[in-house]
Amino acid sequence: MGAQLRLLRRRISSVKSTAKITRAQELIASSRIVKAQQRMQEALPYEREITRAVTGVVSNAASVDHPLTVAKENPAKAGVLVVTSDSGFCGGFNANVLREAEALRGLLEGRGMTVVPFVTGRKGVTWHTFRNREMGGSWVGFSRKPAYADAKEIANTLIDSFKDENGIDEIHIVSTEFVSMLTQNVVVKRVLPLEVEETEATDSTVIPPYFEFEPTAGDVLESLLPRYVESRIFTALLQSAASEEAARRRAMKSATDNANELMRVLTQQMNQARQAEITQEISEIVGGANALADAAAGKE
């Protein structure tokens, strides 16, 4: 019985230490979410304006004929940027992204295309390396606090491959979109080539700015589109960073609650074992006293 009590005490101590770690991780994630949201909100105006500018150029140009806007007749290779985290303790955050990336891979391969993954985050890089998946590029070390320089480096790699004759023909991004503290959705977006759609104007339509091009609209697009791709990637990284912290906070809170519940159950079991041990000792004492009393009565 004493051995059982010692085992329960060790388990309670271990669970208590785990609860302290998960609680600390929860508090750290809670403090980082606010900053991640602020950085995400600060980047939205630039993305909105650069998107509006590109839309204005494409809408006002007489003919759009640019390598980044014209889809190839028979696309054979697609690049997929998979945005994951560098560290764990964030629940199903990375698993959801990788699952959606695999679904996209199956869809593209069903169209007869070869998929080349470009991965950010150690978790995604490790996942692809373990499966011997050749990557077109990998970047780690900034999932919690991405900088614009990181997005620029990724964009340059993707655009260079897109412009190469033997490179990729499409660019997709699989990342997590931050909706709220409780909701983060995995989204798939095609970045290049741009999809030009003609729509009828309504009262709620945002009218794109009017441009006059000198010398040509192609030169303007040549300057704008790389920055457009950079802004889209940077926004995806910021959204993913905020989502990662929110997912980590939720996962660590759940782990802390489970640890507290386990401690309650183990404490109850330890008290029951202690009571059983005390009852057994009392029974042995009473039994010994009765035996002595019977022996004394027999001698008389």
Side-chain angles (χ1 to χ4, degrees), residues 61-242:
S63 62
V64 179
D65 187 11
H66 191 274
L68 299 183
T69 60
V70 178
K72 297 182 179 180
E73 294 183 0
N74 297 310
K77 190 178 295 185
V80 178
L81 177 62
V82 184
V83 183
T84 62
S85 67
D86 286 319
S87 57
F89 299 106
C90 49
F93 174 81
N94 294 302
N96 294 334
V97 173
L98 293 170
R99 187 184 304 114
E100 195 66 31
E102 283 297 287
L104 177 61
R105 170 187 282 270
L107 179 63
L108 294 174
E109 289 180 345
R111 291 165 48 189
M113 301 179 68
T114 302
V115 177
V116 181
F118 296 80
V119 188
T120 70
R122 288 190 178 88
K123 292 298 180 180
V125 172
T126 302
W127 190 89
H128 285 81
T129 302
F130 179 77
R131 288 162 177 78
N132 295 322
R133 299 274 182 87
E134 185 177 353
M135 292 174 282
S138 61
W139 301 267
V140 298
F142 53 81
S143 70
R144 282 189 164 185
K145 194 175 180 180
Y148 192 83
D150 301 318
K152 185 178 180 64
E153 180 182 352
I154 297 171
N156 290 338
T157 302
L158 290 170
I159 292 175
D160 289 343
S161 179
F162 187 83
K163 291 181 177 180
D164 189 356
E165 292 183 359
N166 298 322
I168 57 179
D169 302 322
E170 294 181 0
I171 297 177
H172 302 262
I173 298 179
V174 182
S175 61
T176 307
E177 185 179 52
F178 182 88
V179 180
S180 66
M181 296 288 287
L182 299 177
T183 306
Q184 299 87 43
N185 299 325
V186 179
V187 294
V188 178
K189 298 179 181 178
R190 195 181 89 169
V191 179
L192 290 179
L194 293 178
E195 294 179 326
V196 181
E197 298 180 356
E198 294 184 0
T199 58
E200 295 183 359
T202 61
D203 294 338
S204 60
T205 302
V206 178
I207 301 175
Y210 178 77
F211 294 104
E212 292 184 0
F213 308 108
E214 185 179 346
T216 63
D219 294 331
V220 177
L221 285 175
E222 186 68 28
S223 299
L224 279 180
L225 284 175
R227 287 158 182 77
Y228 167 77
V229 176
E230 292 168 10
S231 69
R232 294 296 297 271
I233 294 176
F234 186 48
T235 300
L237 293 176
L238 292 176
Q239 291 267 1
S240 179

Side-chain angles (χ1 to χ4, degrees), residues 18-32:
T18 302
K20 290 180 180 179
I21 295 173
T22 56
R23 177 58 178 168
Q25 290 282 354
E26 178 188 349
L27 294 176
I28 293 172
S30 299
S31 65
R32 287 179 172 174

Side-chain angles (χ1 to χ4, degrees), residues 48-61 206-213 224:
R48 184 166 53 249
E49 290 303 317
I50 194 70
T51 302
R52 184 166 178 263
V54 172
T55 303
V57 174
V58 174
S59 300
N60 295 320
V206 178
I207 301 175
Y210 178 77
F211 294 104
E212 292 184 0
F213 308 108
L224 279 180

